[in-house]
Amino acid sequence: MNFINFNNQVLLLEKSGAIIWPEKSMAIVSDLHLEKSSFFAREGIFIPPYDSFETLKKLKKMIMKNKVKKIIFLGDIFHDSKAYERLEASSKDIFESIIASCNVIFVYGNHDRFIKIPKIKFCNSFCYKNILFSHEPKINYKSQICGHLHPKIILKINGKRISKKCFVYSKNIIFLPAYGKFTGGLDVRNKEFSKYLDSSSIFFTIHNNKIYKLKNYL
C-alpha cells in the first residue's frame, strides 16, 4: 500500500490516480476533463467519444472500493464550462449517482471556471486541516494539494521511451496526475514544476495497474 504522511495526515495514493484520506473517508481527484472528445469534435477533430463514460466508470469503481463518502474535485473536472450539458445519459447517470452518494466539493479549474451544476458546492480553493486544496499551485505555500500540470515521468527502458502518469510528493506540495482517460501530461522535469520541487521530491508512477516509487528522477 502506498501510504504517505503529509502535514501529519496519512494519505493513500490510489492506483486509479486519486488520493484517499482514509480517516475522513475522503477521495481527492483532479483533471478528469470530461467531454474533451465532444469539445474537439465541434472543432472537427474526432477522437473516440468514450472518455467521459470510461473515466466516470473508473471513478465510481474507486469510490465504491474505498467506501468514499466525501470527494474533493480539484478542477478541470469538465473540459469546458458547457461540458456538463453535453454529457450523454449513461455518463450523466454515473455522475449524478456519485454526487448523490458523496459530499462533494468542487474547486474551479481553468477549464471549468464558469460551469454550473445543480447540487454542487463550488469554490476557488478549499482549506481543511491546514492543507490547501486548489487547482493551480501557489508559490511558497505550506501544505497544498493540487492538479493542473498533469505530471508524468518519461523513462527509457530497453531502448523504448515510456511515458506514465505520476503523483509528485514533496514536503509542502502534492501534485495529482490527471484522472481523465484521454488527458495528456507534462514531464515533471519541465520548468513549470521547478518552482515547487527539489532533489528530495518523490515520484509515484502508475504502470500496469500498480504504483512504483521513484527517487532521484530530477
Side-chain angles (χ1 to χ4, degrees):
M1 301 292 281
N2 296 287
F3 288 100
I4 60 173
N5 188 294
F6 187 70
N7 197 38
N8 298 317
Q9 303 296 328
V10 176
L11 306 176
L12 170 66
L13 305 183
E14 222 266 351
K15 61 187 179 182
S16 70
I19 289 178
I20 305 298
W21 194 337
E23 183 184 0
K24 307 299 180 184
S25 301
M26 180 187 291
I28 305 143
V29 297
S30 187
D31 295 277
L32 277 68
H33 284 269
L34 299 174
E35 290 306 299
K36 181 176 181 178
S37 60
S38 63
F39 177 85
F40 280 105
R42 296 185 307 175
E43 306 297 322
I45 302 170
F46 296 98
I47 57 178
Y50 312 114
D51 59 318
S52 295
F53 183 77
E54 292 299 324
T55 298
L56 287 167
K57 188 167 66 171
K58 179 178 74 167
L59 179 63
K60 181 72 172 181
K61 182 179 179 181
M62 180 276 294
I63 288 171
M64 295 178 67
K65 172 188 171 185
N66 293 283
K67 299 179 181 179
V68 170
K69 297 179 181 178
K70 305 173 185 176
I71 186 165
I72 301 176
F73 288 123
L74 290 183
D76 286 0
I77 304 309
F78 289 88
H79 192 69
D80 62 279
S81 294
K82 297 294 183 182
Y84 172 74
E85 301 169 16
R86 298 197 306 274
L87 277 177
E88 293 187 351
S90 57
S91 297
K92 184 169 283 190
D93 285 345
I94 300 175
F95 184 77
E96 296 292 342
S97 71
I98 289 171
I99 64 174
S101 63
C102 297
N103 179 10
V104 173
I105 295 172
F106 194 118
V107 176
Y108 283 119
N110 55 299
H111 276 262
D112 47 19
R113 169 63 55 182
F114 303 106
I115 199 165
K116 303 296 180 186
I117 304 171
K119 302 177 183 178
I120 288 185
K121 175 184 177 181
F122 293 88
C123 54
N124 292 316
S125 62
F126 178 70
C127 193
Y128 183 64
K129 294 290 183 180
N130 295 317
I131 298 173
L132 179 71
F133 297 88
S134 64
H135 180 63
E136 299 185 33
K138 315 294 184 186
I139 295 290
N140 297 324
Y141 194 97
K142 183 180 179 181
S143 301
Q144 57 181 318
I145 298 177
C146 54
H148 184 55
L149 292 182
H150 302 194
K152 70 176 182 179
I153 63 166
I154 298 174
L155 300 172
K156 285 188 177 180
I157 301 176
N158 297 326
K160 294 183 179 180
R161 183 176 181 272
I162 299 176
S163 174
K164 294 295 178 180
K165 296 179 180 182
C166 71
F167 295 91
V168 180
Y169 170 48
S170 290
K171 179 181 179 181
N172 294 324
I173 191 167
I174 297 175
F175 285 98
L176 275 78
Y179 201 87
K181 187 172 180 61
F182 291 158
T183 49
L186 184 67
D187 187 349
V188 296
R189 288 180 289 201
N190 187 284
K191 64 180 182 180
E192 291 296 323
F193 284 99
S194 62
K195 295 171 284 190
Y196 311 101
L197 308 184
D198 55 41
S199 59
S200 67
S201 299
I202 301 174
F203 309 94
F204 293 84
T205 185
I206 304 168
H207 178 61
N208 289 341
N209 213 30
K210 295 182 180 179
I211 294 181
Y212 298 90
K213 182 179 179 179
L214 298 176
K215 294 183 178 180
N216 304 318
Y217 180 72
L218 297 179

